[in-house]
Amino acid sequence: MSQLPILILVLPMLLAPVLLILRNVGIMHSLVTIVLFINFFLTIILFQHVSSVENILYEVGNWPAPFGIRLNADILSVFFLIIINFMSLLCIASGKNLIEEQVNKSTSNLFYVAWLLCTTGFSGIILTDDIFNLFVFLEISSLSSYFLVSQGNYKGSTVAALQYLFIGSIAAVFILLSIGIIYMQTGTLNMQDISMKISLVDYNNSVMLALGLFLIGIGIKSAMFPLHGWIIKTYAYSPSVVTTFFSGTSTKIGIYILIRIFFDVFNNITPLQNYHLSELIIYLSLFGILVSTAYAIKQQEIKKMLALSSIAQLGYILLVAMLLIPEGITASLVHVINHSVIKTGLFLAIAIIFLNNQNIKLDDLCGLGKKYPLVMGNFIILSLGLIGIPLTAGFISKWYIVLAMLKSEYWYFTIVVLITSFMTFFYIWKMIENIYFKSTDNNESVAIKNYQIACITILTTLTIYFGIDTSLTADVAESIAYDVYYGAL
Amino acid sequence: MNIILSHLAFLFFSILILYLVRKENFSGAAHGLISFISVIFVFFITFSFHEVSNNKIVLFEFIENAPISFYIDSLGLVFLIISNLLWFCVAIYATRYLDINKYDKKGDFYIFFLISMFATNAIVYSSNLITTFIFYELLTVATYPLVTFKKDEESVNSGKKYLYYLLGTSIVFLLPAIVITYIQNGSVEYTQGGIFSSSNQIITFIALILFTLGVAKSALMPFHKWLPTAMVAPTPVSALLHAVAVVKSGVYIIIKIILFIFGIEVIKDNGAVFIILLASFTTIIASIIALKQDSIKLRLAYSTIGQLAYIVLATAILAPFSILAAVLHLAFHALGKIMLFLSAGIIATRVNVKYVSEMNGISTSLPYTSLLLSLGAIIMVGLPPTIGFISKWFLIQGIIDADMYILVAVIVLSTILNAAYYFPMIYKPFFGPSNNTFTYKEDMFLVLPVALIGLISVVLFFTAETFIIFIEQQILL
Amino acid sequence: MTYLLNFILFLIGLLIILREPNYIKKIIGLNIFQVSVFIFYILVSKINNGTPPILDVGDYVYSNPLPHVLILTAIVVSIATTSLALALVMMIKKKHNTVNEDEVKLD
């Protein structure tokens, strides 16, 4: 049981070199699915253990912390870990013919290798207790994601990947610099150690510089306005499975790092308040939500529309997290998991239907309600979830967000949040109208496999389930919030 | 198992049944049967009311201290009886109506109709704001496919506007109102005497405004536009949903909020004036707009807006008699309005008349329909000896008790306007000059449900005494 | 003083990445950017009057070896990033026949 954290990290990494020698896509796909399934299963066991018994600390190589690298599985980590591994499994499981169709045959084994490394990277970021190790895993996941993005069959895929590379590397360097300054001030790299020593250093200018640099790095990674531009091209030009995977995970990792560093490691929120960092993020997020929702309404291309929608939702998550009250962190975490489920489902529905993945415009959605009733039925429930109709997960997030905002000192911004959330309806409904009320002369339809329908139905069922029984989302989020916040005071 | 839960469970599982038979010819009959069984459930609840009333059944602890829970009280019982009984009548009417007008995909129609009525019943049974909100939104979503049933461009655009108004107001106004109530008072349950305390007047006032604007289903101005827009739907939809189920849910929720969330004491000093002003304004302006409408359905829609404003006005006056009037008018207006809409549907279908100016002389082809139309119109205007008069009488009593004499002028003015725009509908079919020769075109299947409702209204006038005493005992405690 | 120079290098690197349209020059800028951070770490590790961190008999003040180790890791990451970037640039040259950002058409 104490070995679980390292096992979860290592398992995909072990499979990766094996895949380099294989040629048959079918075997590769099955192996990857099996390993990711085992991984997911292990994460569930870890979650059970951590939530009911105690946190698990694992020292790599038996070197004691703070000299060695330690893995820390606490409730915040396993919360995100489950989301990442579940989405990774789901996207690969439903993506077999998508990968065959879109990824270059000669490099498809590299594709799977990169996928596994990306999952490992994400899991590593979440599990590690060492701040430099965070950077290393961040780079592992980033490099593999650059590769994954470049595998799309769009004309612009490599360019989008290169642009993503530059921006991602800038973010990583900011984070690296910040880590250097923190090390300089505290003399240790272990997160729990830093949190003890940072208060002794008393938040001088260097530490504030480190915080600021970290914020920029994380802001780029979690698509905070105005550093969000890279997401649109990245989501639009990568292979469909990759977009589906990233929509639910890569930006959420940024949120994890934010909560971990700002609330857990720098466990004192007064610098955030005194230097008005939280206020800055709140204003930027509000503006970002408005702008991206407005752009989404004008957007004709589906993937870009959904990408802009993601930016808006991430704006909500950042906004409530920076309210600096425990209800805010609860709302933020609840929306993380609910939005992952909903957005992954929406992207998956689009991916399944548009196999060849070229520029998908709004008009291409006409008549889909008749051609693919099951997939579109799921799509409509997920869309209702995004708008926030009760009995879906989206409503729960909305409730908690409004609750957090009204309880904070920025309650007058609730009206902006509500109006933008209503604006979501505008662009979603454009899609729904085309799907159900317009018809098309194009009679070709793609054969949807049963397992794909099963995958998307799983996501829809989760949306409704999390809309009714909130113990897994809201209760866990609340306990994390109280741990993190009162630890931070 | 508890009868309320069994009723809701029955309706919920019937959705599956209707889904399975949606391609069959007997889907209409199945729908009618389901509505009939629903009425039987309501009968049982009525007769066992003393055992069942006011026991809350918690289904699910949804959010901390805001569970999904149900109960039934006397106000709810009134609405329950009316909506289910009328649902049954409209189900019979709809079967025939859809056949005559050759709509396809009838099975889908019945499914969404059933879901809407399920949501309405669940709203009636809700014992707190969060349950209400859930089923309120479900009702909006479920009625959308019915509004856009014809699937032509006008319907789709109207449907979009319909959703803008209803979802927009509920997300932007109603949701924060509920959250404010939750934060302020720790719970959102409907409780006798209200859960708001008299402290913190500003927050109470803001919450009140948000609630009033947020429950757009009560069709108060300025968010009333969805109702005329929804008239593109087929007549059974306009009749049952937009004269009974949806709009009455709106006013029912407002009554419950005024009485059981804020409480009479709190509202008396804080906010009653706002609602009274808004409602008076709505009723007069709506009546004026109704005068200008030539389309029968639009005239009826604006009439509904005005009548609903009466109900809200009556509740906000906070006198015992006016609250009684509100509850009575909830029921009586439903009866009258449904007769009007269903008759209008018959007229549109059988002689293809959709405008008031074309109504001359149709009583020769549709004598019974014209008679029932007139009966409905007289109820709406509130002339004796109809039930409409009873609710107006109590309303004026309540106004006098509360010393708000200026409102008598409002009532008189709007009644005159009502009479003005209803009069052509009574006069023209019988006495209007026409050159066309119409043949007898009554369809018994369509007329009988309307006649049944007419019969109930007439009987109700004479048995109103028991009804009133029952309500007086329960509500005014 | 050296920190200031380091910071200027940081800014130069960042500016190159953001402003140059040529991809190869951007990669060079990325490298400069990353190297500036490496130098920062090394600057941090040097302790006044410190000797190289090799254990020896006697009472010495050693410079901090840990940042050097961290830099090794970061250099490896930087190499991997650069090679991936160069591979992508080669593919772009093959597909679009240019390595200039302004001339590349995405659709």
Side-chain angles (χ1 to χ4, degrees):
Chain A
M1 186 58 71
S2 57
Q3 311 287 321
L4 265 183
I6 194 72
L7 192 56
I8 293 177
L9 270 188
V10 158
L11 209 52
M13 260 203 284
L14 283 178
L15 181 60
V18 173
L19 287 181
L20 280 176
I21 11 174
L22 291 179
R23 286 291 152 211
N24 184 325
V25 180
I27 299 185
M28 278 194 278
H29 190 94
S30 318
L31 279 176
V32 171
T33 319
I34 294 176
V35 165
L36 286 176
F37 182 73
I38 299 178
N39 220 24
F40 174 59
F41 186 62
L42 292 174
T43 18
I44 296 207
I45 300 181
L46 187 63
F47 180 75
Q48 300 277 40
H49 187 90
V50 171
S51 57
S52 50
V53 184
E54 48 156 18
N55 298 347
I56 294 184
L57 294 166
Y58 177 86
E59 281 144 6
V60 179
N62 273 330
W63 290 102
F67 303 112
I69 294 178
R70 190 164 64 183
L71 301 178
N72 178 12
D74 65 3
I75 187 77
L76 175 62
S77 311
V78 286
F79 183 74
F80 279 88
L81 200 64
I82 289 196
I83 303 177
I84 303 292
N85 283 300
F86 179 64
M87 291 306 162
S88 178
L89 172 65
L90 201 76
C91 297
I92 275 288
S94 60
K96 177 142 189 252
N97 58 349
L98 292 165
I99 296 178
E100 275 170 17
E101 181 75 27
Q102 291 169 10
V103 175
N104 200 334
K105 285 284 189 308
S106 56
T107 56
S108 48
N109 58 346
L110 293 174
F111 181 87
Y112 285 106
V113 171
W115 187 282
L116 288 170
L117 287 177
C118 193
T119 312
T120 307
F122 286 148
S123 307
I125 296 175
I126 296 173
L127 281 173
T128 185
D129 200 29
D130 180 298
I131 208 171
F132 192 79
N133 201 230
L134 183 82
F135 166 74
V136 172
F137 275 115
L138 185 67
E139 283 296 84
I140 294 180
S141 62
S142 302
L143 281 172
S144 19
S145 19
Y146 307 147
F147 177 73
L148 285 175
V149 169
S150 73
Q151 291 304 296
N153 58 349
Y154 281 93
K155 199 166 164 217
S157 289
T158 28
V159 178
L162 191 59
Q163 181 207 334
Y164 181 26
L165 183 147
F166 284 127
I167 297 193
S169 303
I170 295 178
V173 168
F174 272 103
I175 294 180
L176 182 61
L177 187 54
S178 169
I179 291 173
I181 299 178
I182 295 175
Y183 173 67
M184 198 168 93
Q185 291 294 313
T186 57
T188 172
L189 288 172
N190 186 295
M191 286 199 220
Q192 296 187 351
D193 221 21
I194 295 177
S195 65
M196 286 192 280
K197 296 200 172 140
I198 201 85
S199 35
L200 300 171
V201 178
D202 201 29
Y203 286 94
N204 53 21
N205 282 334
S206 302
V207 173
M208 286 317 299
L209 176 64
L211 261 181
L213 290 169
F214 220 107
L215 192 61
I216 300 181
I218 293 180
I220 298 178
K221 271 289 163 198
S222 58
M224 186 174 80
F225 186 86
L227 305 162
H228 63 286
W230 59 273
I231 271 200
I232 305 176
K233 286 222 186 74
T234 308
Y235 282 13
Y237 291 110
S238 44
S240 340
V241 247
V242 172
T243 314
T244 319
F245 179 46
F246 283 170
S247 65
T249 56
S250 76
T251 39
K252 307 301 186 318
I253 293 286
I255 304 290
Y256 167 79
I257 303 179
L258 186 96
I259 296 183
R260 179 63 84 186
I261 300 290
F262 278 67
F263 293 107
D264 208 20
V265 175
F266 289 86
N267 51 7
N268 188 344
I269 56 170
T270 29
L272 280 177
Q273 287 171 318
N274 291 345
Y275 286 88
H276 298 291
L277 267 184
S278 52
E279 210 170 311
L280 175 70
I281 302 181
I282 291 179
Y283 285 120
L284 282 176
S285 307
L286 275 170
F287 197 61
I289 300 171
L290 273 169
V291 168
S292 39
T293 315
Y295 269 108
I297 298 179
K298 295 194 330 184
Q299 191 60 241
Q300 286 292 319
E301 223 223 283
I302 300 289
K303 280 195 175 181
K304 290 194 180 155
M305 188 195 280
L306 290 176
L308 284 162
S309 164
S310 283
I311 298 175
Q313 301 298 319
L314 278 157
Y316 287 128
I317 297 176
L318 275 171
L319 173 63
V320 268
M322 282 293 133
L323 291 172
L324 300 181
I325 52 175
E327 289 84 0
I329 305 180
T330 312
S332 172
L333 291 170
V334 169
H335 201 41
V336 161
I337 188 167
N338 289 336
H339 176 245
S340 295
V341 172
I342 295 177
K343 221 11 119 33
T344 311
L346 286 171
F347 271 111
L348 189 61
I350 301 287
I352 297 178
I353 292 181
F354 293 98
L355 259 190
N356 69 352
N357 199 26
Q358 294 304 321
N359 247 322
I360 310 168
K361 293 247 166 16
L362 262 181
D363 298 328
D364 297 329
L365 287 182
C366 290
L368 287 185
K370 285 201 182 50
K371 277 196 227 165
Y372 310 104
L374 281 176
V375 178
M376 284 302 144
N378 284 312
F379 189 86
I380 221 188
I381 297 182
L382 290 165
S383 309
L384 291 178
L386 196 60
I387 297 176
I389 301 289
L391 291 185
T392 62
F395 171 67
I396 302 285
S397 322
K398 196 139 294 173
W399 171 274
Y400 278 101
I401 291 177
V402 174
L403 189 65
M405 290 219 71
L406 284 173
K407 275 194 179 176
S408 75
E409 43 182 20
Y410 298 99
W411 53 269
Y412 36 88
F413 285 135
T414 315
I415 184 77
V416 179
V417 169
L418 290 168
I419 293 183
T420 46
S421 128
F422 172 54
M423 282 163 70
T424 326
F425 165 72
F426 289 176
Y427 57 79
I428 296 284
W429 217 253
K430 272 201 221 174
M431 291 198 277
I432 303 283
E433 276 185 2
N434 278 2
I435 294 175
Y436 280 108
F437 292 116
K438 300 227 172 93
S439 56
T440 171
D441 304 320
N442 183 353
N443 276 325
E444 7 173 298
S445 67
V446 173
I448 311 274
K449 307 276 195 302
N450 283 333
Y451 58 81
Q452 290 176 324
I453 297 192
C455 286
I456 200 173
T457 315
I458 292 179
L459 286 173
T460 316
T461 318
L462 273 179
T463 314
I464 300 185
Y465 179 70
F466 286 148
I468 300 181
D469 177 7
T470 60
S471 55
L472 281 175
T473 50
D475 292 344
V476 174
E478 223 169 304
S479 60
I480 298 177
Y482 277 92
D483 280 344
V484 158
Y485 185 77
Y486 291 110
L489 283 183
Chain B
M1 191 170 83
N2 186 283
I3 193 164
I4 297 180
L5 284 181
S6 359
H7 186 196
L8 286 175
F10 165 69
L11 288 174
F12 185 69
F13 288 114
S14 316
I15 301 177
L16 188 62
I17 299 178
L18 275 188
Y19 181 74
L20 292 172
V21 303
R22 71 190 190 282
K23 300 246 185 349
E24 310 286 342
N25 281 335
F26 54 84
S27 55
H31 176 242
L33 183 62
I34 293 173
S35 59
F36 184 66
I37 300 182
S38 185
V39 174
I40 295 184
F41 267 106
V42 172
F43 264 134
F44 274 120
I45 294 182
T46 319
F47 288 122
S48 63
F49 186 65
H50 284 290
E51 292 101 66
V52 188
S53 73
N54 291 319
N55 291 331
K56 297 205 181 177
I57 304 131
V58 175
L59 190 60
F60 210 98
E61 183 90 10
F62 184 54
I63 296 171
E64 196 181 320
N65 221 13
I68 301 180
S69 62
F70 303 110
Y71 82 141
I72 184 74
D73 67 351
S74 45
L75 172 61
L77 190 64
V78 171
F79 188 16
L80 195 68
I81 300 177
I82 287 289
S83 54
N84 283 291
L85 207 56
L86 292 177
W87 176 24
F88 174 58
C89 299
V90 176
I92 307 177
Y93 178 94
T95 323
R96 186 83 180 125
Y97 185 88
L98 292 181
D99 275 337
I100 295 186
N101 281 304
K102 296 196 189 55
Y103 286 103
D104 61 325
K105 296 244 162 129
K106 294 187 278 225
D108 292 344
F109 183 89
Y110 295 123
I111 297 178
F112 288 116
F113 215 78
L114 173 61
I115 300 180
S116 312
M117 288 315 293
F118 166 66
T120 312
N121 278 312
I123 292 181
V124 176
Y125 286 131
S126 313
S127 81
N128 58 24
L129 281 172
I130 193 82
T131 319
T132 309
F133 186 74
I134 294 174
F135 291 108
Y136 182 87
E137 299 285 70
L138 185 64
L139 187 57
T140 309
V141 174
T143 46
Y144 173 78
L146 292 172
V147 170
T148 58
F149 193 66
K150 290 185 190 155
K151 296 226 170 98
D152 55 11
E153 179 147 357
E154 193 201 351
S155 300
V156 174
N157 285 336
S158 309
K160 193 154 70 169
K161 217 165 153 190
Y162 178 76
L163 279 183
Y164 280 179
Y165 274 99
L166 287 178
L167 281 183
T169 48
S170 63
I171 292 180
V172 179
F173 298 119
L174 187 54
L175 181 60
I178 298 180
V179 180
I180 291 178
T181 314
Y182 181 73
I183 296 179
Q184 223 13 42
N185 307 305
S187 96
V188 287
E189 297 286 318
Y190 293 130
T191 346
Q192 281 280 10
I195 53 178
F196 269 91
S197 54
S198 302
S199 59
N200 211 328
Q201 300 253 336
I202 303 184
I203 294 194
T204 314
F205 188 60
I206 294 181
L208 186 66
I209 298 188
L210 287 175
F211 271 122
T212 317
L213 295 175
V215 184
K217 289 205 170 101
S218 64
L220 285 174
M221 295 188 172
F223 296 117
H224 63 288
K225 248 320 174 89
W226 63 271
L227 189 51
T229 317
M231 288 297 130
V232 293
T235 305
V237 179
S238 302
L240 187 64
L241 296 181
H242 299 123
V244 181
V246 174
V247 295
K248 289 291 155 42
S249 315
V251 270
Y252 174 76
I253 295 174
I254 293 217
I255 296 179
K256 278 214 134 130
I257 290 177
I258 292 180
L259 290 180
F260 298 129
I261 294 284
F262 287 96
I264 296 184
E265 292 308 314
V266 174
I267 288 216
K268 239 189 184 101
D269 315 312
N270 189 357
V273 179
F274 170 71
I275 306 182
I276 293 178
L277 280 174
L278 194 60
S280 318
F281 179 76
T282 306
T283 180
I284 297 193
I285 302 287
S287 306
I288 296 178
I289 302 182
L291 267 176
K292 300 198 299 191
Q293 300 297 325
D294 197 25
S295 156
I296 297 181
K297 275 179 107 175
L298 282 178
R299 189 175 283 206
L300 292 177
Y302 279 101
S303 165
T304 308
I305 298 177
Q307 298 286 327
L308 291 173
Y310 274 161
I311 301 180
V312 177
L313 178 65
T315 320
I317 294 176
L318 298 172
F321 276 127
S322 70
I323 299 183
L324 175 64
V327 179
L328 287 177
H329 205 55
L330 196 128
F332 297 158
H333 166 258
L335 288 169
K337 212 18 110 30
I338 251 199
M339 278 172 37
L340 281 168
F341 267 110
L342 294 179
S343 314
I346 298 179
I347 295 175
T349 314
R350 302 299 288 170
V351 296
N352 209 15
V353 164
K354 299 204 174 107
Y355 296 94
V356 179
S357 46
E358 298 170 4
M359 276 171 83
N360 288 313
I362 54 177
S363 61
T364 41
S365 335
L366 299 170
Y368 298 112
T369 308
S370 313
L371 207 59
L372 290 165
L373 187 75
S374 310
L375 179 56
I378 299 179
I379 296 180
M380 288 289 98
V381 176
L383 297 174
T386 61
I387 46 183
F389 175 67
I390 298 182
S391 43
K392 270 222 167 87
W393 172 259
F394 280 115
L395 177 56
I396 297 188
Q397 278 266 46
I399 294 178
I400 295 179
D401 279 349
D403 293 329
M404 299 189 187
Y405 295 101
I406 187 161
L407 290 178
V408 178
V410 170
I411 304 287
V412 169
L413 177 59
S414 46
T415 309
I416 296 177
L417 288 169
N418 284 0
Y421 63 71
Y422 274 122
F423 183 65
M425 291 205 223
I426 307 175
Y427 179 80
K428 282 200 174 166
F430 291 105
F431 306 113
S434 89
N435 341 353
N436 306 338
T437 45
F438 293 105
T439 52
Y440 178 79
K441 280 194 174 179
E442 287 284 21
D443 183 319
M444 273 305 138
F445 238 109
L446 287 178
V447 173
L448 275 175
V450 194
L452 179 61
I453 301 175
L455 187 62
I456 296 178
S457 337
V458 171
V459 168
L460 208 51
F461 179 72
F462 296 104
T463 60
E465 198 84 35
T466 25
F467 205 22
I468 293 171
I469 293 177
F470 171 70
I471 300 176
E472 265 180 336
Q473 279 174 343
Q474 303 284 334
I475 296 189
L476 304 179
L477 274 174
Chain C
M1 182 59 194
T2 34
Y3 286 101
L4 186 60
L5 287 174
N6 192 16
F7 182 59
I8 294 178
L9 202 62
F10 183 87
L11 286 177
I12 293 177
L14 187 56
L15 210 65
I16 298 179
I17 305 179
L18 293 178
R19 296 282 298 174
E20 272 291 332
N22 188 316
Y23 283 129
I24 303 283
K25 291 188 188 171
K26 275 194 203 234
I27 297 177
I28 297 176
L30 182 63
N31 267 301
I32 298 178
F33 189 48
Q34 289 170 326
V35 162
S36 76
V37 177
F38 302 158
I39 296 181
F40 175 76
Y41 270 69
I42 299 175
L43 287 174
V44 164
S45 78
K46 168 78 174 155
I47 297 185
N48 284 339
N49 300 325
T51 65
I54 300 171
L55 203 54
D56 201 1
V57 183
D59 211 8
Y60 292 106
V61 173
Y62 298 111
S63 291
N64 193 346
L66 183 60
H68 294 262
V69 170
L70 301 180
I71 294 308
L72 279 174
T73 317
I75 291 179
V76 170
V77 170
S78 159
I79 292 179
T81 313
T82 312
S83 41
L84 181 60
L86 286 171
L88 283 175
V89 169
M90 278 175 56
M91 282 206 61
I92 292 180
K93 173 76 179 171
K94 229 195 287 182
K95 262 200 211 169
H96 300 265
N97 217 13
T98 169
V99 284
N100 202 311
E101 186 182 44
D102 300 327
E103 292 171 21
V104 168
K105 286 202 195 40
L106 279 176
D107 281 314

